[in-house]
Amino acid sequence: MNTKDVFVSAQAVTQQREYCRLASELLIRRFGDTPRAFVHTYGCQGNVSDSERIKGMLHEMGFVFCDKPEDADLVLFNTCAVREHAETRVLGNVGALKPIKEAKNHHMIIVLCGCMMQQAHIAEKIRRSYSYVNLVFGTFAIYRFPELLYRHLRENKRIFDIKEEDEKIAEGFPVWRDRSFKAWLPIMYGCNNFCTYCIVPHVRGRERSRLPEQILAEAKELIANGAKEITLLGQNVNSYGKTPDCGMNFAQLLRKINALDGDFLIRFMTSHPKDCSDELLQTMADCEKVEHHLHLPVQSGSDRVLREMNRGYTAQEYLCLIEKAYRLMPDLAVTSDIIVGFPGEREEDFQKTLDLVHEVRFSSLFTFLYSPRQGTRAAAMSDPIGAKTKSEWFRKLCGDQEQIAAMRSKNLVDKSFCVLVEEENEGMLTGRTSENFCITFPGKKNLVGSFTNVIVTDAGNWTLSGRLAMESKNERLETENEHERYCKNP
Ligand code: SAH
Ligand code: SF4
Ligand code: F3S
């Protein structure tokens, strides 16, 4: 596949930006000089990143952003389809918009987009049962949002666009970021893996990578604007660079970003175990700006279930990978995703998952009850285990992991960490260590967005408490050794 087939042409992007201008004229006529938009994002960081691009377009159309749908002229929900629960939540919240629109603002424009809308049966449901929704588009039409909104404004009719033929990357749109020091940087879109339970390849299309020069240019811009942490995003970042042929793999891309000037850290997600190469682990170990945190979803500890899931590795292969990674980076934090109750999973399969969890001792774990997704292969598999048993397994897994996490975090007490401060609330600061532990400590708001050294004073199951280090010269000397081990980029 050549680049022409992967990227939206520059003319098409220019045309969409012209639609921004045309739409803004109609918007001013309808809502006055400063129309207000409320944007809410469901789902993964990939969706958050898409919303930043959508907000860039809205900003170009003249919108300012507000915090409540009640105050908005345009409400946009960027939706997620990964589990049924996510979809139910979206539909509930869309339902709640109806009385707001009726009572507060009859002209309110309601827009639904993202993964959930890319499914024909959902778009149809919205068309039939949610007549007050004005505009629906799927993941492939994001770059055409200005045109779609313009058409809605001009023709004053409902617009639905969930066509699938447009699996392309659009470069050159402005991006609206809510905060400058922590940034999402998409490096690829889509997924080729077709894990049998997963809706993502169905709603996001085939894997396609951004060109290294585009990624590096965006990274430089982010750093120049104060980014302290850049998270590279993709459903399977380890297979970066194949379509189109980018002339480099993910490890090589990481080295290039690591070589950029500036005081910043690099994270990435998500890594697929089947494509996690020795070269990548070595690169993580070598690159001083790359955090020693690996999110490596295992999904199950049973080879039989892994096969049924189409994951492409065995539990033993996963364990070998983790061992290799720990050997190279003794301070590595490994986190993972696990699905409980996959169709046909038996007691002995679940036991193998528990065994694996106890062997790896993850820093943290995202656990999900299996949720059948229409159109996936697993949705058609027989699923004899009842919901009650699955819930018991789920509780057992969460309980065991909680104990593991509690023991791990107890070991962190009295250690010093380099923390990127993310938030301030009533004199308490919250940040993340390079290993991605959340830590809370007293401090001043002016530290938000900067790195600071914190000593852990107490460890709960989910978060750590701490205090600012370096308050005295003695402490600086005492913590220096630990600091060497736990803080790679002071
Ligand atoms: N691309 C990433 C994950 C994307 S979805 C990867 O391959 O690791 C995030 C997580 O949601 C998955 O890792 C999986 O654990 C969970 N998930 C996906 N589909 C699911 C389903 N149908 N039911 C329950 N959990 C699911
Ligand atoms: Fe879904 Fe598997 Fe692709 Fe991840 S790798 S997005 S779980 S199909
Ligand atoms: Fe959800 Fe789509 Fe992300 S289904 S998890 S928002 S790719």
Side-chain angles (χ1 to χ4, degrees):
M1 199 183 261
N2 59 35
T3 47
K4 199 166 109 303
D5 301 319
V6 180
F7 296 95
V8 172
S9 71
Q11 293 100 296
V13 172
T14 310
Q15 198 181 23
Q16 290 303 321
R17 295 188 77 169
E18 175 59 14
Y19 278 118
C20 285
R21 198 185 57 73
L22 294 170
S24 90
E25 286 170 6
L26 299 183
L27 285 161
I28 289 172
R29 245 183 263 164
R30 195 190 282 195
F31 299 115
D33 275 351
T34 42
R36 288 156 304 173
F38 171 80
V39 174
H40 188 72
T41 309
Y42 300 81
C44 63
Q45 287 83 356
N47 243 23
V48 174
S49 167
D50 282 349
S51 289
E52 292 182 337
R53 282 156 163 77
I54 290 169
K55 284 174 97 170
M57 296 172 189
L58 286 167
H59 179 67
E60 192 150 304
M61 292 180 219
F63 279 97
V64 293
F65 299 107
C66 59
D67 300 328
K68 292 200 296 262
E70 288 85 341
D71 300 334
D73 299 310
L74 180 144
V75 172
L76 182 143
F77 287 170
N78 190 7
T79 63
C80 169
V82 78
R83 283 171 290 277
E84 191 184 351
H85 176 68
E87 293 195 339
T88 316
R89 218 153 45 101
V90 169
L91 292 177
N93 290 349
V94 175
L97 292 176
K98 189 177 182 208
I100 299 176
K101 181 165 175 165
E102 282 171 358
K104 291 239 170 180
N105 184 353
H106 279 282
H107 296 296
M108 177 192 277
I109 301 168
I110 299 180
V111 184
L112 304 180
C113 64
C115 295
M116 192 175 160
M117 299 305 135
Q118 192 59 55
Q119 304 171 100
H121 70 280
I122 296 284
E124 193 45 40
K125 185 174 183 147
I126 301 289
R127 194 195 298 274
R128 267 189 287 111
S129 313
Y130 297 79
S131 58
Y132 53 94
V133 171
N134 306 99
L135 172 52
V136 170
F137 59 94
T139 57
F140 303 120
I142 291 177
Y143 82 94
R144 278 187 274 112
F145 172 44
E147 176 182 353
L148 300 175
L149 183 60
Y150 171 71
R151 270 179 48 208
H152 164 69
L153 289 162
R154 201 194 53 193
E155 296 161 23
N156 212 8
K157 64 175 196 200
R158 303 177 83 198
I159 307 271
F160 283 70
D161 186 340
I162 59 160
K163 287 194 289 288
E164 284 182 25
E165 74 259 27
D166 238 358
E167 281 190 28
K168 287 189 176 170
I169 297 178
E171 298 285 5
F173 283 102
V175 184
W176 176 275
R177 299 175 203 268
D178 287 326
R179 50 185 179 183
S180 56
F181 60 88
K182 217 176 140 141
W184 309 115
L185 177 48
I187 63 166
M188 61 200 295
Y189 298 94
C191 181
N192 286 353
N193 290 318
F194 286 96
C195 302
T196 53
Y197 51 80
C198 185
I199 196 69
V200 172
H202 302 264
V203 293
R204 287 269 172 185
R206 295 297 64 72
E207 189 178 286
R208 51 217 185 271
S209 298
R210 293 180 76 193
L211 295 176
E213 51 269 33
Q214 297 281 1
I215 298 168
L216 288 164
E218 192 169 336
K220 279 187 199 156
E221 191 187 317
L222 290 168
I223 299 158
N225 289 325
K228 296 286 173 216
E229 181 183 284
I230 297 179
T231 305
L232 309 177
L233 298 176
Q235 292 299 344
N236 176 10
V237 291
N238 300 345
S239 72
Y240 170 79
K242 292 183 182 152
T243 313
D245 182 356
C246 293
M248 69 172 71
N249 63 22
F250 181 56
Q252 291 160 331
L253 178 72
L254 263 187
R255 284 192 193 271
K256 291 255 183 220
I257 300 175
N258 185 69
L260 295 176
D261 284 337
D263 178 22
F264 67 98
L265 298 172
I266 307 165
R267 292 184 191 276
F268 57 86
M269 66 193 312
T270 299
S271 286
H272 195 302
K274 80 175 164 53
D275 298 310
C276 188
S277 64
D278 292 359
E279 185 191 1
L280 173 64
L281 297 176
Q282 188 61 56
T283 303
M284 284 180 77
D286 291 346
C287 291
E288 74 288 355
K289 289 175 183 147
V290 178
E291 298 282 44
H292 285 184
H293 171 215
L294 187 61
H295 183 62
L296 198 63
V298 63
Q299 313 297 0
S300 170
S302 153
D303 290 345
R304 198 182 64 79
V305 172
L306 286 170
R307 222 174 15 254
E308 294 285 302
M309 287 177 163
N310 190 33
R311 287 293 286 179
Y313 53 86
T314 62
Q316 194 50 44
E317 283 163 350
Y318 184 88
L319 291 170
C320 286
L321 205 56
I322 299 289
E323 200 188 313
K324 235 186 283 176
Y326 277 140
R327 227 181 300 130
L328 285 167
M329 293 166 280
D331 61 344
L332 181 73
V334 182
T335 57
S336 198
D337 295 348
I338 287 183
I339 296 177
V340 174
F342 183 79
E345 181 170 349
R346 305 179 198 128
E347 183 75 43
E348 63 261 34
D349 297 309
F350 175 67
Q351 193 54 49
K352 286 181 180 151
T353 298
L354 276 185
D355 293 346
L356 182 136
V357 165
H358 282 278
E359 186 156 352
V360 178
R361 296 171 55 75
F362 294 107
S363 300
S364 67
L365 199 54
F366 298 87
T367 41
F368 306 105
L369 263 176
Y370 168 71
S371 167
R373 304 285 65 212
Q374 192 172 320
T376 61
R377 268 168 56 204
M381 293 177 184
S382 95
D383 191 3
I385 298 289
K388 190 161 164 282
T389 307
K390 290 186 180 189
S391 299
E392 278 164 19
W393 290 349
F394 188 77
R395 273 199 301 276
K396 168 77 179 139
L397 176 61
C398 294
D400 283 20
Q401 172 58 29
E402 223 165 273
Q403 282 179 2
I404 293 168
M407 276 196 287
R408 286 188 69 110
S409 45
K410 290 267 174 301
N411 288 334
L412 304 177
V413 174
D414 292 335
K415 301 227 158 78
S416 167
F417 285 89
C418 183
V419 169
L420 175 60
V421 185
E422 296 183 7
E423 275 173 20
E424 188 268 354
N425 193 2
E426 295 182 357
M428 293 303 284
L429 300 176
T430 310
R432 272 173 199 279
T433 67
S434 64
E435 290 76 9
N436 216 19
F437 293 113
C438 189
I439 182 161
T440 309
F441 51 98
K444 295 215 177 77
K445 198 173 181 170
N446 63 355
L447 286 176
V448 171
S450 61
F451 292 111
T452 187
N453 291 302
V454 178
I455 295 176
V456 179
T457 52
D458 194 19
N461 284 353
W462 303 107
T463 55
L464 306 170
S465 311
R467 67 185 164 83
L468 284 167
M470 308 301 172
E471 277 160 2
S472 72
K473 210 168 172 198
N474 281 351
E475 188 159 87
R476 187 191 301 255
L477 291 173
E478 277 163 27
T479 58
E480 216 150 63
N481 286 342
E482 292 302 343
H483 187 72
E484 282 282 293
R485 283 176 42 215
Y486 286 94
C487 180
K488 284 182 290 111
N489 196 23

